[in-house]
C-alpha cells in the first residue's frame, strides 16, 4: 500500500495514520498511487466559490449564482446544495427550497480570469492539458516523473494547494489511467476531493452505480436501458460485449467498454482549434418556435459542414441563443461519442431550444457549436440514438453528392422551407 499526504505531497509506502513529514492526517491510500498519471480536475461550485472568495461575508451563507427571478441557477455553493438547490433549477424553485440564499448575478469575466490562471498552472506541469469547460480539464502526466522529480499524484496534490493559495478556490482531483475513469473519480470525493481509480479495479468500483452515471448516457437512453433490465453498471458488466452490440449496435459496445472502465480517448492538447460553430443573427427578432427550429437546422448543417471540412468531431454540443435584450445563454450536452453530423447536432439541440422557447422570449441570434474536438473517425456513433449509423451513412451520401454536383444538388426539406420563407 502507498499513501500520499495532500498537505506536503509526501508519497511513501506504508499505512501511516499521520504524515511522517508534516503530521497532517489528510492522507489518501492506494496501491497504484506512484504509477497512475491521467487526471481530471474540476473546480468545486466554481462560480459560487469565486463569489465567496471575493466577499468573505458570504463564506458561511448559502450562495446561488444565476440570473434574475425568471432565470435559472447557474450553480450554488455546497451549503445551498444541502437544501436541494441544483444547477439549471428555475430560480423561484431554488428560492423556495432555500429562502435565505444570497443570489448573485454571474460575472463571466471574473470566472474566465480564474479559469485562465488554472489552465496556466496545469500547462506549467505538461503541455498535455485539455480543458473541456470553464472549470474542468484533463491532464496526462505520463513521463513527467523525471522532470518534476516526483510522481503525478504528488504533483497533483501540490497543484491543488497552489490553486487554493493563488486562485482562492478549491478543486477536486480524479486520478486514474484514462479520461473516463479520471472523471468518474473526480466526482466521487467532491468538494476538495482526491480520489483514485485503478483501471484494474474499475469494474468493482463502477458496478453499484446507475448506468446514468456514465457520462453521455442521457435520460432517454437510460430509461431504454432500464426497460431492458440494465439499471446498474453491474447489469451491463454481467453480459458479454457481443450481446450489447447485438442490442444497441456500436452504442452498446461503447457502453460495455465504459462499464468496464475502458476509454481509448487520449488527452489531446489541441491548441489550434478548440471548437467549430456557426451562428446567425436575424434581421428581425424571432419568437416562433417553428421558425427558430428551421434556423436551428441551418446552423446545425453549417457547423457540420465546417467540422467535416476540418476532419473533426466534438464530444460537447452547445446551443447558443441571444435574446432581444442581448442576454446570451448557452446550453451544452456531452456525448459519449464525438459527432460531426448535422442530424445529430439537430437532435441534441432541438430539445434544448424547445425548453428555451416555452416562455415566448424573442431571440436575435442562434448558434450551434461543437467542442472537445477529436479527429473524426470513419463512423461517429452516439449513444442517445443507436439508429445513427444509418443516418450517418445517408448524410455522407448527401455530402458526396454535394461535393460532386454543388450545394444545390441535395436539399433537405427543412432547408428548402427556410429558403422559401426567406424569399417571401
Ligand atoms: P460544474 O463543474 O458542473 O459545477 P460547479 O463547479 O458549480 O459545481 P461542482 O462542485 O459540482 O463541480 O460547472 C462549472 C460552472 O459552470 C458552474 O460553477 C456554473 C456553470 N454552469 C452553468 O452556468 N449552468 C449549468 O447548468 C451548469 C451545470 C454549470
Ligand atoms: Mg465544477
Amino acid at each position: 500500500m502507498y499513501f500520499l499526504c495532500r498537505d506536503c505531497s509526501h508519497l511513501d509506502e506504508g499505512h501511516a495514520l499521520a504524515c511522517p513529514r508534516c503530521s497532517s492526517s489528510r492522507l489518501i491510500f492506494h496501491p497504484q498511487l506512484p504509477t497512475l498519471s491521467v487526471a481530471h480536475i474540476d473546480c468545486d461550485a466554481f462560480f459560487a466559490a469565486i463569489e465567496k472568495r471575493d466577499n468573505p461575508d458570504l463564506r458561511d451563507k448559502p450562495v446561488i449564482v444565476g440570473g434574475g427571478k425568471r432565470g435559472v441557477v447557474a450553480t450554488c455553493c455546497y451549503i445551498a446544495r444541502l437544501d436541494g438547490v441544483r444547477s439549471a433549477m428555475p430560480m423561484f424553485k431554488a428560492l423556495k427550497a432555500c429562502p435565505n440564499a444570497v443570489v448573485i448575478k454571474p460575472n463571466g469575466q471574473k470566472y474566465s480570469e480564474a479559469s485562465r490562471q488554472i489552465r496556466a498552472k496545469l500547462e506549467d506541469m505538461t503541455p498535455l492539458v485539455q480543458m473541456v469547460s470553464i472549470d474542468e480539464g484533463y491532464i496526462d502526466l505520463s513521463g513527467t516523473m523525471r522532470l518534476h522529480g516526483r510522481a503525478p499524484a504528488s504533483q497533483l496534490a501540490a497543484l491543488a494547494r497552489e490553486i487554493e493559495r493563488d486562485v482562492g478556490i478549491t478543486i477536486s482531483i480524479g486520478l486514474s489511467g484514462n479520461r473516463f475513469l479520471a472523471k468518474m473519480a473526480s466526482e466521487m470525493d467532491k468538494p476538495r476531493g482526491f480520489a483514485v481509480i485503478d483501471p484494474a479495479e474499475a469494474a468493482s468500483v463502477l458496478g453499484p452505480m446507475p448506468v446514468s452515471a456514465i457520462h453521455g448516457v442521457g435520460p432517454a437512453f437510460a430509461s431504454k436501458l432500464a426497460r431492458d433490465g440494465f439499471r446498474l453498471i453491474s447489469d451491463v458488466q454481467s453480459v458479454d460485449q457481443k450481446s450489447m452490440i447485438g442490442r444497441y449496435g456500436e452504442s452498446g459496445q461503447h457502453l460495455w467498454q465504459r462499464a468496464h472502465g475502458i476509454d481509448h480517448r487520449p488527452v489531446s492538447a489541441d491548441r489550434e482549434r478548440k471548437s467549430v460553430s456557426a451562428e446567425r443573427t436575424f434581421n428581425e427578432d424571432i419568437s416562433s418556435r417553428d421558425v427558430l427550429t428551421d434556423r436551428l437546422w441551418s446552423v446545425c448543417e453549417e457547423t457540420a459542414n465546417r467540422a467535416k471540412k476540418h476532419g473533426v468531431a466534438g464530444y460537447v454540443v452547445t446551443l447558443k441563443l441571444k435574446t432581444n435584450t442581448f442576454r446570451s445563454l448557452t446550453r451544452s450536452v456531452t456525448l459519449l461519442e464525438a459527432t460531426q453530423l448535422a442530424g445529430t447536432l439537430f437532435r441534441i439541440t432541438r430539445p434544448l431550444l424547445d425548453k428555451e422557447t416555452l416562455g415566448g422570449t424573442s431571440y436575435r441570434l442562434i448558434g450551434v457549436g461543437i467542442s472537445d474536438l477529436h479527429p473524426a473517425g470513419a463512423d461517429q456513433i452516439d449513444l442517445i440514438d443507436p439508429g445513427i449509423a444509418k443516418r450517418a451513412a445517408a448524410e455522407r451520401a448527401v455530402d458526396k453528392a454535394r461535393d460532386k454536383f454543388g450545394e444545390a444538388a441535395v436539399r433537405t426539406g427543412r432547408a428548402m422551407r427556410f429558403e422559401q420563407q426567406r424569399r417571401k
Side-chain angles (χ1 to χ4, degrees), residues 56-214:
D57 289 347
L58 298 174
R59 212 188 71 174
D60 301 319
K61 296 195 175 122
V63 167
I64 295 176
V65 180
K69 267 226 161 76
R70 285 187 56 217
V72 295
V73 174
T75 193
C76 63
C77 69
Y78 279 76
I79 301 176
R81 288 183 201 194
L82 292 175
D83 287 332
V85 182
R86 293 287 179 271
S87 286
M89 198 181 240
M91 193 60 83
F92 75 90
K93 221 171 148 185
L95 287 171
K96 216 184 238 174
C98 184
N100 54 346
V102 180
V103 179
I104 300 173
K105 283 233 169 75
N107 179 338
Q109 227 170 344
K110 276 202 311 196
Y111 313 146
S112 302
E113 176 51 30
S115 182
R116 263 195 300 277
Q117 274 178 283
I118 291 168
R119 170 201 288 272
K121 286 194 183 296
L122 290 167
E123 286 175 347
D124 279 348
M125 296 161 74
T126 171
L128 269 188
V129 171
Q130 184 176 8
M131 293 298 283
V132 289
S133 83
I134 192 165
D135 87 323
E136 66 177 308
Y138 295 92
I139 184 165
D140 184 345
L141 290 162
S142 313
T144 62
M145 174 105 183
R146 200 187 276 170
L147 176 69
H148 294 290
R150 51 186 176 176
S154 296
Q155 297 175 46
L156 290 163
L159 169 79
R161 295 195 303 275
E162 254 185 56
I163 290 175
E164 288 183 14
R165 185 189 66 204
D166 300 342
V167 188
I169 61 169
T170 63
I171 61 169
S172 292
I173 296 170
L175 176 63
S176 186
N178 64 46
R179 284 180 49 170
F180 168 66
L181 290 175
K183 175 146 174 116
M184 294 301 283
S186 78
E187 285 165 3
M188 275 167 33
D189 190 31
K190 255 180 175 298
R192 211 183 178 217
F194 194 135
V196 183
I197 303 178
D198 177 18
E201 66 185 350
S204 61
V205 174
L206 300 174
M209 299 183 185
V211 286
S212 57
I214 295 177

Side-chain angles (χ1 to χ4, degrees), residues 319-338:
L319 169 71
K320 177 177 170 189
L321 290 163
K322 202 179 269 180
T323 67
N324 56 347
T325 56
F326 288 86
R327 197 166 59 85
S328 282
L329 55 100
T330 57
R331 298 285 175 259
S332 297
V333 173
T334 301
L335 309 177
L336 200 53
E337 285 308 311

Side-chain angles (χ1 to χ4, degrees), residues 144-417:
T144 62
M145 174 105 183
R146 200 187 276 170
L147 176 69
H148 294 290
R150 51 186 176 176
S154 296
Q155 297 175 46
L156 290 163
L159 169 79
R161 295 195 303 275
E162 254 185 56
I163 290 175
E164 288 183 14
R165 185 189 66 204
D166 300 342
V167 188
I169 61 169
T170 63
I171 61 169
S172 292
I173 296 170
L175 176 63
S176 186
N178 64 46
R179 284 180 49 170
F180 168 66
L181 290 175
K183 175 146 174 116
M184 294 301 283
S186 78
E187 285 165 3
M188 275 167 33
D189 190 31
K190 255 180 175 298
R192 211 183 178 217
F194 194 135
V196 183
I197 303 178
D198 177 18
E201 66 185 350
S204 61
V205 174
L206 300 174
M209 299 183 185
V211 286
S212 57
I214 295 177
H215 226 60
V217 175
F221 192 55
S223 56
K224 184 170 182 188
L225 287 165
R227 280 197 301 275
D228 296 345
F230 300 107
R231 279 166 223 284
L232 302 180
I233 294 178
S234 58
D235 297 329
V236 179
Q237 292 166 351
S238 68
V239 297
D240 62 14
Q241 182 167 203
K242 247 193 187 155
S243 80
M244 284 309 274
I245 295 172
R247 275 173 187 268
Y248 310 108
E250 279 196 58
S251 312
Q253 181 180 28
H254 292 302
L255 181 62
W256 189 91
Q257 289 183 348
R258 296 293 190 272
H260 287 80
I262 300 166
D263 180 4
H264 298 300
R265 290 171 303 167
V267 175
S268 67
D270 181 357
R271 298 194 118 269
E272 284 138 41
R273 180 168 286 278
K274 294 264 179 246
S275 67
V276 175
S277 64
E279 58 184 47
R280 187 149 301 149
T281 306
F282 315 133
N283 294 331
E284 284 164 26
D285 298 338
I286 301 175
S287 60
S288 149
R289 178 183 289 181
D290 281 352
V291 180
L292 283 165
T293 305
D294 283 340
R295 302 299 192 271
L296 175 66
W297 171 256
S298 69
V299 286
C300 286
E301 275 206 309
E302 218 170 291
T303 302
N305 287 341
R306 285 183 186 164
K308 287 166 190 164
K309 212 167 100 194
H310 293 290
V312 293
Y315 283 93
V316 177
V317 178
T318 302
L319 169 71
K320 177 177 170 189
L321 290 163
K322 202 179 269 180
T323 67
N324 56 347
T325 56
F326 288 86
R327 197 166 59 85
S328 282
L329 55 100
T330 57
R331 298 285 175 259
S332 297
V333 173
T334 301
L335 309 177
L336 200 53
E337 285 308 311
T339 189
Q340 58 165 195
L341 300 176
T344 303
L345 296 180
F346 186 65
R347 267 182 314 103
I348 302 295
T349 49
R350 189 181 187 171
L352 304 178
L353 175 67
D354 285 351
K355 258 193 214 156
E356 299 307 323
T357 49
L358 284 177
T361 312
S362 279
Y363 293 97
R364 64 187 313 271
L365 174 147
I366 193 163
V368 164
I370 54 174
S371 52
D372 193 357
L373 299 180
H374 290 259
D379 256 308
Q380 301 299 334
I381 306 300
D382 75 67
L383 255 184
I384 291 164
D385 180 359
I388 188 75
K390 261 189 212 153
R391 285 204 298 277
E395 199 168 317
R396 291 210 173 80
V398 168
D399 288 344
K400 251 194 196 152
R402 278 179 173 160
D403 276 352
K404 213 164 167 187
F405 305 112
E407 188 64 24
V410 184
R411 274 200 244 138
T412 59
R414 206 165 261 290
M416 283 171 82
R417 213 163 78 216

